[in-house]
Amino acid sequence: IKSIMKSIFYPKIFLLSLIGILFLSCSKEEIPQDKLIGDWTVYSITDENNQTIVWNDLKADLVELIEEYSCLDFTASATANLVSTTYTFIDSDSRGCLTPTINVYTWEVDPESGLYLFTQGNNIINYRISFSNADNRMTWNDQTSGVITIWDRVVSATEEATE
């Protein structure tokens, strides 16, 4: 009887252990990181009048006039919960730049429209965001004003070497 019990009991224990190990080793499917996440520098801005300003061209022209304007900057950074934009503009009353202006927004993607909703207090900005150039170029199209901002991903030298 003991040998019959062992022949029934041990395979069941083995089978239950195997199922338990398989169940515990299964993890949730990872949700891919949104392409928005990362650090960005502005490439160009097209205003509501369809005037396009290429940021580096503007900066080069200004620095050629006044070298101290090299501090001019426009960047964005996105995490899983927040987007921040940092603007450093020139001080037209001096030979330098103003203190950077930082705007921070929470963000989410509307599942129905695919629009990115940037929220800061009661202010909500709806952007249609698209990606190109192996997801290293991002275009924000403000759905209210029509302003289009094109961003280039900041890629470290290590990342560039592996691409």
Side-chain angles (χ1 to χ4, degrees):
I1 291 188
K2 282 186 179 182
S3 66
I4 295 173
M5 293 280 289
K6 284 183 181 178
S7 66
I8 295 171
F9 183 72
Y10 287 128
K12 285 185 179 181
I13 292 285
F14 176 75
L15 185 59
L16 285 173
S17 298
L18 185 61
I19 291 171
I21 290 170
L22 288 173
F23 180 74
L24 291 174
S25 67
C26 292
S27 61
K28 288 184 178 179
E29 183 180 325
E30 274 192 41
I31 298 172
Q33 176 174 296
D34 195 284
K35 297 174 196 176
L36 173 70
I37 296 173
D39 295 318
W40 302 85
T41 187
V42 73
Y43 172 76
S44 69
I45 302 167
T46 303
D47 65 18
E48 52 275 339
N49 299 320
N50 267 349
Q51 293 292 106
T52 299
I53 300 167
V54 176
W55 190 262
N56 284 340
D57 293 349
L58 171 66
K59 184 174 180 176
D61 290 345
L62 290 171
V63 170
E64 190 175 311
L65 294 172
I66 300 175
E67 189 175 316
E68 290 85 354
Y69 287 170
S70 63
C71 55
L72 186 66
D73 202 19
F74 186 9
T75 61
S77 182
T79 67
N81 303 312
L82 300 174
V83 170
S84 62
T85 56
T86 304
Y87 308 89
T88 305
F89 293 110
I90 60 172
D91 183 350
S92 57
D93 295 330
S94 74
R95 295 179 64 92
C97 288
L98 298 168
T99 302
T101 301
I102 301 171
N103 292 304
V104 179
Y105 306 88
T106 58
W107 70 273
E108 63 182 323
V109 179
D110 182 298
E112 291 180 24
S113 67
L115 292 176
Y116 284 72
L117 310 175
F118 288 18
T119 305
Q120 184 184 51
N122 292 329
N123 183 27
I124 299 175
I125 304 170
N126 296 312
Y127 288 106
R128 174 136 342 261
I129 297 180
S130 59
F131 298 87
S132 60
N133 193 25
D135 297 333
N136 288 318
R137 177 155 285 177
M138 171 174 63
T139 302
W140 290 4
N141 186 330
D142 186 319
Q143 297 299 287
T144 304
S145 70
V147 170
I148 297 172
T149 308
I150 298 177
W151 302 88
D152 285 330
R153 187 180 298 278
V154 176
V155 181
S156 70
T158 308
E159 290 173 304
E160 285 178 351
T162 59
E163 289 181 356

